[in-house]
């Protein structure tokens, strides 16, 4: 069933658990994440990034498919637009019935980020759509591990008050697209932000964080946990193994099926880790 990100994140925040948010690139990701959530009996967030939209050439096909998978689920599922820098893409997502969006103005000068984020909040809230924003750019999208960015607790509190966002992504030591799980999170900073920010906090670049690091981050006050690269590693590893085991394979279902199953199993394990 379709659910509200704001409500699920607030419930998880109050319960002291994490809310898994996983990136949908192909339809197989959406079905794997929902099957894992149904097995675990937990909610899940299916997120579609602006980069995934560029890959598909349009938002509608992948978004409508994810919404259909979410509606048919027996657990609460959010379909979320991730890292949208293009405000027209946000408008299109709202029209398509998406539940929440991340407006990512983290690369903009501070005043412009605040102003555009507030405008996106007004537009989305008028349509009943929740908004996540980012303060303190989480690096790594250029392929370089850059865990140095930090969000200031006072800035974060002022940003949430100024913009009215429902969730806030913070820079606390993680970095996007890591293929090793050895990022060191600043739990003291997470606690300091948590103490002054009233909305649930989001960790981007969670692929680079170990299981123990993730448990520590949830304990310190992180709620929404964004994972993409790690599950892509699992997916592609299973594809490689299937093709190597049977080099004459032709039917794409024969190598996609084990990849989907491997992603489902790892997602199930992560969802249990977060509770
Ligand atoms: O928004 C998505 C995430 O922050 C995923 O980052 O690929 O490093 O796990 P990751
Ligand atoms: Zn991210």
């Amino acid at each position: 069933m379709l659910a509200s990100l704001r409500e699920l994140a607030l419930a998880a925040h109050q319960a002291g658990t994490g809310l898994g948010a996983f990136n949908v690139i192909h339809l197989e990701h959406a079905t794997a994440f929902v099957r894992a959530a149904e097995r675990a009996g937990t909610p899940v967030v299916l997120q579609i990034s602006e980069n995934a939209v560029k890959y598909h050439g349009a938002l509608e096909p992948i978004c409508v498919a994810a919404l259909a998978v979410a509606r048919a689920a027996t657990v609460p599922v959010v379909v979320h637009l991730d890292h949208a820098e293009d405000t027209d893409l946000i408008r299109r997502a709202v029209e398509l019935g998406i539940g929440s969006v991340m407006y990512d103005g983290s690369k903009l000068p501070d005043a412009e980020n605040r102003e555009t984020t507030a405008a996106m909040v007004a537009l989305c809230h008028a349509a009943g759509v929740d908004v996540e924003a980012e303060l303190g750019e989480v690096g790594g999208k250029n392929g370089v591990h850059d865990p140095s960015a930090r969000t200031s607790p006072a800035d974060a509190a002022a940003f949430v008050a100024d913009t009215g966002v429902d969730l806030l992504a913070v820079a606390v030591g993680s970095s996007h697209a890591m293929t090793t799980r050895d990022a060191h999170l600043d739990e003291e900073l997470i606690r300091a932000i948590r103490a002054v920010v009233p909305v649930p906090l989001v960790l981007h670049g969670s692929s680079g964080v170990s299981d123990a690091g993730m448990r520590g981050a949830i304990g310190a006050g992180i709620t929404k946990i964004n994972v993409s690269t790690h599950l892509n590693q699992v997916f592609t590893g299973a594809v490689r193994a299937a093709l190597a085991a049977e080099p004459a394979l032709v039917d794409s279902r024969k190598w996609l099926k084990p990849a989907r199953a491997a992603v489902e199993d790892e997602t199930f394990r992560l969802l249990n880790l977060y509770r």
Side-chain angles (χ1 to χ4, degrees), residues 82-268:
D82 189 36
H83 283 291
E85 297 178 12
D86 175 358
T87 52
D88 285 339
L89 184 62
I90 292 181
R91 287 187 181 86
R92 185 73 192 118
V94 169
E95 282 165 12
L96 286 172
I98 210 156
S100 62
V101 306
M102 177 200 187
Y103 170 64
D104 183 356
S106 62
K107 292 191 197 73
L108 297 173
D110 188 58
E112 206 182 323
N113 184 12
R114 276 167 210 260
E115 197 182 314
T116 316
T117 301
M120 288 302 107
V121 168
L123 176 117
C124 290
H125 282 182
V129 173
D130 303 324
V131 181
E132 171 186 333
E134 177 169 329
L135 187 67
E137 186 185 354
V138 178
K141 280 205 193 145
N142 53 4
V144 180
H145 176 39
D146 175 16
S148 59
R150 289 291 183 275
T151 301
S152 131
D155 282 355
F159 184 88
V160 170
D162 288 354
T163 59
V165 293
D166 303 292
L167 294 97
L168 186 70
V170 290
V172 292
S174 62
S175 184
H176 282 103
M178 283 180 68
T179 52
T180 55
R181 301 178 82 211
D182 52 3
H184 181 73
L185 297 183
D186 188 338
E187 289 182 17
E188 207 173 307
L189 178 59
I190 297 171
R191 270 188 214 95
I193 298 171
R194 173 71 287 143
V196 295
V197 169
V199 299
L201 303 178
V202 184
L203 185 70
H204 281 252
S206 304
S207 290
V209 183
S210 66
D211 288 354
M214 219 47 258
R215 293 289 325 154
I218 295 166
I222 288 290
T223 299
K224 178 170 175 274
I225 301 158
N226 286 15
V227 182
S228 180
T229 303
H230 172 64
L231 292 168
N232 256 340
Q233 275 182 309
V234 169
F235 187 95
T236 305
V239 170
R240 276 201 189 95
L243 293 176
E246 232 181 303
L249 260 187
V250 171
D251 185 340
S252 53
R253 287 166 292 196
K254 297 262 169 64
W255 49 268
L256 281 168
K257 197 172 172 186
R260 183 178 61 189
V263 169
E264 178 187 327
D265 287 348
E266 179 61 1
T267 304
F268 175 73

Side-chain angles (χ1 to χ4, degrees), residues 1-4 8 34 37 43-46 66 69-71 73 75-79:
M1 68 211 73
L2 283 175
S4 145
L8 290 184
V34 166
V44 72
V45 180
L46 308 183
V69 172
R71 278 196 195 96
V75 290
V77 181
V78 177
V79 179

